[in-house]
Amino acid sequence: DTGVSQDPRHKITKRGQNVTFRCDPISEHNRLYWYRQTLGQGPEFLTYFQNEAQLEKSRLLSDRFSAERPKGSFSTLEIQRTEQGDSAMYLCASSPTPAQGQETQYFGPGTRLLVL
Amino acid sequence: AQRVTQPEKLLSVFKGAPVELKCNYSYSGSPELFWYVQYSRQRLQLLLRHISRESIKGFTADLNKGETSFHLKKPFAQEEDSAMYYCACYNQGGKLIFGQGTELSVKP
Protein backbone atom coordinates (compact mmCIF):
# COMPACT_ATOMS: atom_id res chain seq x y z
CA ASP A 1 0.00 0.00 0.00
CA THR A 2 1.57 3.24 -1.13
CA GLY A 3 -0.67 5.48 0.90
CA VAL A 4 -3.48 7.81 -0.06
CA SER A 5 -3.60 8.54 -3.77
CA GLN A 6 -5.40 11.30 -5.64
CA ASP A 7 -6.19 11.76 -9.30
CA PRO A 8 -5.60 13.94 -11.18
CA ARG A 9 -2.67 15.74 -9.62
CA HIS A 10 -3.34 18.89 -11.62
CA LYS A 11 -6.45 20.22 -13.32
CA ILE A 12 -6.88 23.37 -15.37
CA THR A 13 -10.41 24.23 -16.35
CA LYS A 14 -12.43 27.15 -17.61
CA ARG A 15 -14.91 28.94 -15.42
CA GLY A 16 -18.30 27.31 -15.59
CA GLN A 17 -17.04 23.80 -16.29
CA ASN A 18 -17.55 20.83 -13.98
CA VAL A 19 -14.61 18.94 -12.52
CA THR A 20 -14.34 15.69 -10.57
CA PHE A 21 -11.50 14.54 -8.38
CA ARG A 22 -10.87 11.06 -7.05
CA CYS A 23 -9.28 9.90 -3.81
CA ASP A 24 -8.22 6.36 -2.96
CA PRO A 25 -7.63 6.01 0.77
CA ILE A 26 -5.37 3.58 2.55
CA SER A 27 -7.16 0.26 2.44
CA GLU A 28 -8.92 -0.66 5.70
CA HIS A 29 -9.25 3.01 6.67
CA ASN A 30 -12.88 3.72 7.46
CA ARG A 31 -12.62 7.49 7.56
CA LEU A 32 -12.01 9.68 4.52
CA TYR A 33 -11.65 13.46 4.64
CA TRP A 34 -11.55 16.25 2.08
CA TYR A 35 -9.74 19.53 2.75
CA ARG A 36 -9.06 22.59 0.66
CA GLN A 37 -5.87 24.63 0.85
CA THR A 38 -5.38 28.05 -0.69
CA LEU A 39 -2.09 29.87 -1.02
CA GLY A 40 -0.63 30.91 2.30
CA GLN A 41 -3.25 29.11 4.35
CA GLY A 42 -3.47 25.84 6.19
CA PRO A 43 -5.84 23.12 5.00
CA GLU A 44 -9.54 23.81 5.66
CA PHE A 45 -11.98 21.01 6.31
CA LEU A 46 -14.65 20.39 3.68
CA THR A 47 -16.31 17.06 4.51
CA TYR A 48 -15.70 13.56 5.77
CA PHE A 49 -17.05 10.04 5.48
CA GLN A 50 -17.28 7.12 7.84
CA ASN A 51 -17.40 4.22 5.40
CA GLU A 52 -20.02 5.33 2.83
CA ALA A 53 -21.84 7.74 5.15
CA GLN A 54 -21.09 11.44 4.81
CA LEU A 55 -21.07 12.62 8.42
CA GLU A 56 -20.27 16.31 8.22
CA LYS A 57 -20.07 19.05 5.64
CA SER A 58 -18.42 22.42 6.16
CA ARG A 59 -20.19 25.66 5.36
CA LEU A 60 -17.36 26.11 2.86
CA LEU A 61 -19.00 23.37 0.81
CA SER A 62 -21.50 25.26 -1.31
CA ASP A 63 -24.29 23.62 -3.29
CA ARG A 64 -21.92 23.38 -6.24
CA PHE A 65 -19.79 20.87 -4.36
CA SER A 66 -20.76 17.26 -3.89
CA ALA A 67 -18.79 14.36 -2.50
CA GLU A 68 -19.52 10.66 -2.58
CA ARG A 69 -18.03 7.47 -1.28
CA PRO A 70 -20.41 4.94 -2.74
CA LYS A 71 -18.86 1.68 -1.58
CA GLY A 72 -16.92 2.94 1.38
CA SER A 73 -13.66 2.77 -0.52
CA PHE A 74 -12.66 5.52 -2.95
CA SER A 75 -14.31 8.94 -2.93
CA THR A 76 -15.07 11.57 -5.53
CA LEU A 77 -15.40 15.30 -5.10
CA GLU A 78 -17.28 17.12 -7.85
CA ILE A 79 -17.41 20.86 -8.35
CA GLN A 80 -20.09 22.10 -10.69
CA ARG A 81 -19.98 25.43 -12.54
CA THR A 82 -16.48 26.18 -11.32
CA GLU A 83 -15.56 29.70 -10.30
CA GLN A 84 -12.13 31.32 -10.11
CA GLY A 85 -12.42 31.27 -6.32
CA ASP A 86 -12.43 27.48 -6.44
CA SER A 87 -8.78 27.51 -7.47
CA ALA A 88 -6.95 25.71 -4.68
CA MET A 89 -5.25 22.50 -3.67
CA TYR A 90 -7.78 19.82 -2.76
CA LEU A 91 -6.43 17.36 -0.22
CA CYS A 92 -7.75 13.98 0.73
CA ALA A 93 -6.86 12.17 3.93
CA SER A 94 -7.82 8.89 5.53
CA SER A 95 -7.67 7.38 8.98
CA PRO A 96 -8.90 4.40 10.93
CA THR A 97 -12.07 5.03 12.91
CA PRO A 98 -10.86 7.40 15.62
CA ALA A 99 -10.20 5.93 19.01
CA GLN A 100 -7.66 6.87 21.61
CA GLY A 101 -4.36 7.22 19.82
CA GLN A 102 -5.76 6.59 16.34
CA GLU A 103 -6.72 10.03 15.14
CA THR A 104 -3.76 10.32 12.79
CA GLN A 105 -4.88 11.34 9.34
CA TYR A 106 -2.74 10.36 6.37
CA PHE A 107 -2.78 12.78 3.49
CA GLY A 108 -2.64 12.32 -0.23
CA PRO A 109 -0.53 14.46 -2.57
CA GLY A 110 -3.46 16.69 -3.45
CA THR A 111 -5.13 17.84 -6.66
CA ARG A 112 -4.23 21.36 -7.69
CA LEU A 113 -7.15 23.06 -9.44
CA LEU A 114 -6.78 26.19 -11.51
CA VAL A 115 -9.93 27.82 -12.83
CA LEU A 116 -9.32 30.28 -15.65
CA ALA B 1 -15.20 28.62 17.81
CA GLN B 2 -12.27 26.28 17.60
CA ARG B 3 -9.19 28.03 16.31
CA VAL B 4 -5.46 27.37 15.85
CA THR B 5 -3.08 30.28 15.52
CA GLN B 6 0.48 30.24 14.28
CA PRO B 7 1.68 33.82 14.61
CA GLU B 8 4.78 33.51 12.45
CA LYS B 9 4.50 32.97 8.71
CA LEU B 10 8.25 32.65 8.33
CA LEU B 11 10.99 31.70 10.76
CA SER B 12 14.58 31.88 9.59
CA VAL B 13 17.44 30.50 11.67
CA PHE B 14 21.00 29.37 11.15
CA LYS B 15 22.03 25.74 11.30
CA GLY B 16 22.69 24.67 14.88
CA ALA B 17 20.49 27.37 16.39
CA PRO B 18 17.48 26.51 18.57
CA VAL B 19 14.06 26.62 16.97
CA GLU B 20 10.63 27.30 18.44
CA LEU B 21 7.56 27.38 16.26
CA LYS B 22 4.63 28.84 18.12
CA CYS B 23 1.11 27.47 18.17
CA ASN B 24 -1.85 28.61 20.23
CA TYR B 25 -5.28 27.05 20.21
CA SER B 26 -8.77 27.71 21.45
CA TYR B 27 -10.86 24.67 22.22
CA SER B 28 -13.46 24.14 24.90
CA GLY B 29 -12.88 20.43 25.47
CA SER B 30 -9.76 18.31 25.94
CA PRO B 31 -7.63 19.11 22.91
CA GLU B 32 -5.81 16.60 20.79
CA LEU B 33 -2.98 18.47 19.11
CA PHE B 34 -0.67 17.62 16.25
CA TRP B 35 2.19 19.03 14.27
CA TYR B 36 2.22 18.23 10.56
CA VAL B 37 5.15 18.98 8.25
CA GLN B 38 5.35 19.43 4.52
CA TYR B 39 8.77 19.22 2.92
CA SER B 40 9.30 20.67 -0.54
CA ARG B 41 7.34 18.73 -3.18
CA GLN B 42 6.12 16.19 -0.63
CA ARG B 43 2.76 15.53 0.92
CA LEU B 44 1.63 16.70 4.31
CA GLN B 45 2.76 14.21 6.95
CA LEU B 46 2.42 13.82 10.67
CA LEU B 47 5.44 14.97 12.66
CA LEU B 48 4.19 14.38 16.17
CA ARG B 49 1.12 14.44 18.39
CA HIS B 50 0.89 15.47 21.98
CA ILE B 51 -0.60 12.26 23.35
CA SER B 52 2.45 10.31 22.21
CA ARG B 53 4.86 12.52 24.14
CA GLU B 54 7.60 11.49 21.78
CA SER B 55 10.51 13.19 20.07
CA ILE B 56 10.61 12.93 16.30
CA LYS B 57 13.66 14.09 14.34
CA GLY B 58 14.75 15.91 17.47
CA PHE B 59 11.49 17.89 17.71
CA THR B 60 9.35 17.98 20.83
CA ALA B 61 6.14 19.76 21.69
CA ASP B 62 4.50 20.14 25.07
CA LEU B 63 0.86 20.88 25.57
CA ASN B 64 0.42 23.80 27.97
CA LYS B 65 -3.25 23.97 28.85
CA GLY B 66 -2.79 27.08 30.99
CA GLU B 67 -1.36 29.03 28.08
CA THR B 68 -3.34 27.06 25.47
CA SER B 69 -0.12 26.51 23.57
CA PHE B 70 1.59 23.64 21.79
CA HIS B 71 4.90 25.08 20.66
CA LEU B 72 7.28 22.96 18.59
CA LYS B 73 10.91 23.01 19.66
CA LYS B 74 14.25 21.68 18.53
CA PRO B 75 17.51 22.52 20.25
CA PHE B 76 19.73 22.44 17.16
CA ALA B 77 18.19 23.09 13.76
CA GLN B 78 19.41 21.24 10.68
CA GLU B 79 19.15 22.33 7.05
CA GLU B 80 16.89 19.36 6.31
CA ASP B 81 14.37 20.76 8.80
CA SER B 82 13.48 23.48 6.30
CA ALA B 83 9.79 22.97 5.52
CA MET B 84 6.26 24.20 6.18
CA TYR B 85 4.98 23.30 9.63
CA TYR B 86 1.30 23.19 10.51
CA CYS B 87 -0.17 22.94 13.96
CA ALA B 88 -3.56 21.24 14.09
CA CYS B 89 -6.24 20.53 16.65
CA TYR B 90 -8.46 17.48 16.36
CA ASN B 91 -12.16 18.21 16.67
CA GLN B 92 -14.08 15.40 18.37
CA GLY B 93 -16.50 15.62 15.48
CA GLY B 94 -13.77 14.17 13.28
CA LYS B 95 -11.93 16.98 11.53
CA LEU B 96 -8.57 18.66 11.95
CA ILE B 97 -8.43 22.42 12.42
CA PHE B 98 -5.17 23.73 11.03
CA GLY B 99 -3.20 26.87 11.68
CA GLN B 100 -1.96 28.98 8.80
CA GLY B 101 1.45 27.36 8.87
CA THR B 102 4.99 28.54 9.55
CA GLU B 103 7.71 28.25 6.98
CA LEU B 104 10.97 27.27 8.65
CA SER B 105 14.12 28.17 6.77
CA VAL B 106 17.39 26.85 8.17
CA LYS B 107 20.40 28.56 6.65
CA PRO B 108 23.87 26.98 6.46
Side-chain angles (χ1 to χ4, degrees):
Chain A
D1 193 330
T2 56
V4 179
S5 62
Q6 292 186 246
D7 184 71
R9 296 290 305 276
H10 303 274
K11 179 70 177 179
I12 301 174
T13 190
K14 293 183 179 179
R15 189 176 53 184
Q17 298 294 304
N18 299 343
V19 295
T20 300
F21 309 142
R22 176 178 169 127
C23 171
D24 286 88
I26 294 171
S27 56
E28 86 262 2
H29 277 187
N30 297 320
R31 287 267 177 115
L32 187 147
Y33 308 82
W34 285 99
Y35 293 85
R36 181 172 69 185
Q37 186 174 22
T38 53
L39 202 61
Q41 301 295 320
E44 295 175 292
F45 170 80
L46 292 179
T47 188
Y48 82 96
F49 293 83
Q50 170 82 23
N51 298 314
E52 65 274 10
Q54 189 173 18
L55 296 187
E56 185 177 347
K57 292 195 293 185
S58 163
R59 283 172 290 181
L60 293 175
L61 218 62
S62 75
D63 292 343
R64 297 184 296 106
F65 288 70
S66 62
E68 294 182 343
R69 195 183 183 198
K71 296 182 180 178
S73 56
F74 73 91
S75 175
T76 57
L77 177 67
E78 181 183 15
I79 310 174
Q80 296 182 324
R81 304 181 303 282
T82 52
E83 301 173 357
Q84 289 183 324
D86 297 331
S87 296
M89 176 75 87
Y90 290 84
L91 297 169
C92 177
S94 71
S95 76
T97 301
Q100 186 64 29
Q102 291 190 17
E103 294 86 2
T104 300
Q105 295 181 19
Y106 297 85
F107 282 81
T111 295
R112 185 171 294 284
L113 173 66
L114 177 60
V115 182
L116 301 176
Chain B
Q2 209 172 353
R3 192 182 187 95
V4 175
T5 303
Q6 294 179 249
E8 303 138 330
K9 288 189 87 70
L10 173 65
L11 186 62
S12 185
V13 300
F14 286 102
K15 177 183 172 182
V19 170
E20 182 178 52
L21 287 81
K22 291 183 167 51
C23 172
N24 289 90
Y25 66 91
S26 62
Y27 185 64
S28 56
S30 295
E32 299 284 347
L33 287 153
F34 303 80
W35 276 98
Y36 277 80
V37 61
Q38 187 167 28
Y39 301 102
S40 179
R41 296 191 176 86
Q42 294 187 29
R43 66 184 65 191
L44 200 58
Q45 58 185 285
L46 179 70
L47 180 62
L48 56 79
R49 52 190 180 182
H50 89 272
I51 60 172
S52 299
R53 295 184 174 274
E54 56 195 345
S55 172
I56 303 293
K57 300 184 179 182
F59 285 97
T60 59
D62 291 318
L63 178 62
N64 186 323
K65 291 187 178 181
E67 296 182 357
T68 60
S69 68
F70 187 57
H71 302 328
L72 183 68
K73 300 177 184 179
K74 185 169 183 177
F76 308 104
Q78 303 300 314
E79 289 181 68
E80 56 265 30
D81 296 328
S82 295
M84 281 296 298
Y85 291 80
Y86 295 95
C87 182
C89 183
Y90 178 74
N91 173 292
Q92 294 302 318
K95 62 193 178 192
L96 286 171
I97 308 297
F98 286 87
Q100 289 185 308
T102 298
E103 180 182 357
L104 175 63
S105 174
V106 181
K107 299 178 179 178

